[in-house]
Amino acid sequence: MKQATLHQLKVFEAVARHNSFTRAAEELFLTQPTVSMQVKQLTRAVGVPLFDQVGKRLYLTQAGEELVKTCRAIFENLDQFEMTIADLQGLKQGRLRVSVITTAKYFIPRLLGPFCRRYPGIDVSLQVTNHEYILGRLNDNADDLYVMSQLPDLDITYEAILDNPLVVIAPADHPLVNETNIPMERLAEEPFIMREPGSGTRKAVQELFDARDIELKVQLDLGSNEAIKQAIAGGLGISVLSRHTLALEGICNQLTILDVEEFPIERYWYAVYPNGKQLSVVARTFLDYLLTEGKDFAQKTALRRTLPQTQSNGTPLPSAANSGDQEHPVDHPPAS
Ligand code: PGA
């Protein structure tokens, strides 16, 4: 291993991540023969094969898997070192990698604006994906911080950021609009639009209805909150989504929140990272920002911009829709 260079490790990690020599070459602005040569030299230095090639597909060997983990730990340590040096020089600079669940896209990008203006030396990479994918990234230690609603059964450190209630959303002219405390069983008569398998929203909805032994008439699975809102407005059914998904202008005046028993399902967004992970200077700066100014900003902006306070026909929304957080503040559960 003594002859291996940092450059070879970078090339190898890119090949492993893309599972392709060609794509790694594209990412690194190298030619494909150069990439192959670097991996060949590294393999020679390690002394055992790093990839198996079956047909056109590449598979990491066990040694390859171990080396990928080692490479990522080395790169992370080097990044941290660079950030620490920058911090010693009075600068906050480096790369911040954050993965957030789909609903957090309604506030995290808005928070990033002021943060990036304050720290122009920080480059941010933001992944927006569902609960299951975030778990995968958390397991792979792919990011500095994660924002999610359902705390995983893993060894993690977490801090509550903001409440993220799930509500029942229907078209604004739905016959149940003026009903209060609608029985959950009544929803089983409506065509239901569900988030895709792997979604945290779907899991929370299923758990609630399973606990009451109620089977929903799921007519459509959709992998995006925005697509579900369009489908509801188009009359394809009702659904349960985070109330924050109503934060954007546009289609929301065609939607309403139904007042259903057991709703909203109370949940929170949490900032999460693996226990024992040494946060970089940049990640710590962002976490502090998220938990102080960011939290205030999100509270003010995200919920102020939910559904208008009247329906399209001018009558007030049912009480569930009006019970904004300003009226019924919810205490965050204690963070770890
Ligand atoms: P999901 O998570 O995108 O996996 O449904 C959203 C949420 O938990 O708020």
Side-chain angles (χ1 to χ4, degrees):
M1 221 24 224
K2 276 200 199 111
Q3 282 84 28
T5 65
L6 201 54
H7 180 60
Q8 285 167 355
L9 295 179
K10 282 198 170 140
V11 171
F12 163 73
E13 194 278 334
V15 175
R17 187 159 29 83
H18 289 293
N19 226 353
S20 155
F21 284 86
T22 315
R23 283 208 292 276
E26 278 164 14
E27 177 186 303
L28 299 169
F29 301 105
L30 296 172
T31 63
Q32 214 234 2
T34 307
V35 168
S36 302
M37 180 55 69
Q38 296 292 316
V39 172
K40 208 184 235 168
Q41 286 170 354
L42 181 64
T43 308
R44 207 172 302 135
V46 174
V48 288
L50 301 173
F51 291 104
D52 282 332
Q53 183 144 14
V54 182
K56 285 196 166 164
R57 288 212 55 163
L58 277 184
Y59 296 90
L60 279 170
T61 59
Q62 203 181 340
E65 302 262 11
E66 289 303 319
L67 187 56
V68 169
K69 283 190 219 150
T70 308
C71 287
R72 289 185 184 149
I74 292 173
F75 301 153
E76 192 177 330
N77 277 335
L78 282 175
D79 280 353
Q80 297 233 14
F81 174 71
E82 277 177 15
M83 289 184 224
T84 308
I85 295 296
D87 196 42
L88 289 175
Q89 293 170 330
L91 297 167
K92 295 269 187 269
Q93 66 184 37
R95 191 161 188 75
L96 171 69
R97 289 158 307 170
V98 187
S99 272
V100 306
I101 39 149
T102 61
T103 48
K105 80 168 184 196
Y106 296 94
F107 82 102
I108 293 280
R110 293 172 61 83
L111 290 184
L112 283 175
F115 180 78
C116 292
R117 274 195 294 280
R118 186 176 310 168
Y119 303 110
I122 297 181
D123 294 332
V124 184
S125 149
L126 177 70
Q127 298 284 330
V128 181
T129 180
N130 76 12
H131 182 76
E132 191 170 278
Y133 277 94
I134 298 244
L135 286 189
R137 294 185 70 88
L138 186 59
N139 263 319
D140 293 346
N141 191 22
D143 303 285
D144 298 306
L145 279 176
Y146 307 83
V147 174
M148 56 172 66
S149 298
Q150 256 156 0
L151 292 173
D153 199 9
L154 296 171
D155 192 13
I156 51 162
T157 302
Y158 62 91
E159 300 266 6
I161 307 172
L162 195 65
D163 57 322
N164 178 25
L166 295 181
V167 294
V168 181
I169 303 181
D173 58 356
H174 194 278
L176 293 175
V177 159
N178 293 315
E179 305 277 318
T180 55
N181 207 22
I182 301 163
M184 278 171 63
E185 288 77 6
R186 177 64 185 81
L187 297 193
E189 296 168 28
E190 299 289 319
F192 198 88
I193 308 166
M194 193 65 115
R195 281 285 306 276
E196 78 287 359
S199 140
T201 308
R202 177 188 178 110
K203 192 157 168 258
V205 174
Q206 261 175 345
E207 277 170 10
L208 180 67
F209 282 87
D210 286 354
R212 291 277 291 264
D213 229 357
I214 300 171
E215 199 170 331
L216 287 167
K217 232 168 39 185
V218 179
Q219 301 219 317
L220 194 57
D221 266 356
L222 285 177
S224 126
N225 298 314
E226 289 304 307
I228 290 185
K229 280 160 47 185
Q230 293 290 342
I232 298 171
L236 287 176
I238 62 169
S239 188
V240 173
L241 294 177
S242 160
R243 193 172 56 196
H244 292 277
T245 63
L246 300 171
L248 300 181
E249 316 290 347
I251 190 166
C252 294
N253 57 5
Q254 297 169 46
L255 305 176
T256 193
I257 298 175
L258 297 182
D259 181 5
V260 180
E261 59 164 345
E262 306 289 346
F263 280 87
I265 303 176
E266 293 297 352
R267 299 154 87 234
Y268 299 84
W269 279 309
Y270 298 95
V272 172
Y273 58 93
N275 218 355
K277 181 177 169 98
Q278 178 78 30
L279 285 187
S280 67
V281 172
V282 162
R284 170 57 57 198
T285 306
F286 183 64
L287 181 60
D288 290 345
Y289 171 78
L290 207 55
L291 296 174
T292 52
E293 293 156 76
K295 198 162 164 171
D296 287 350
F297 177 85
Q299 218 143 15
K300 281 190 205 116
T301 56
L303 291 170
R304 198 196 301 138
R305 304 177 77 237
T306 56
L307 282 179
Q309 296 300 298
T310 55
Q311 293 170 35
S312 44
N313 63 8
T315 53
L317 285 163
S319 54
N322 279 333
S323 61
D325 288 30
Q326 293 87 342
E327 288 169 43
H328 301 281
V330 185
D331 287 337
H332 292 150
S336 64

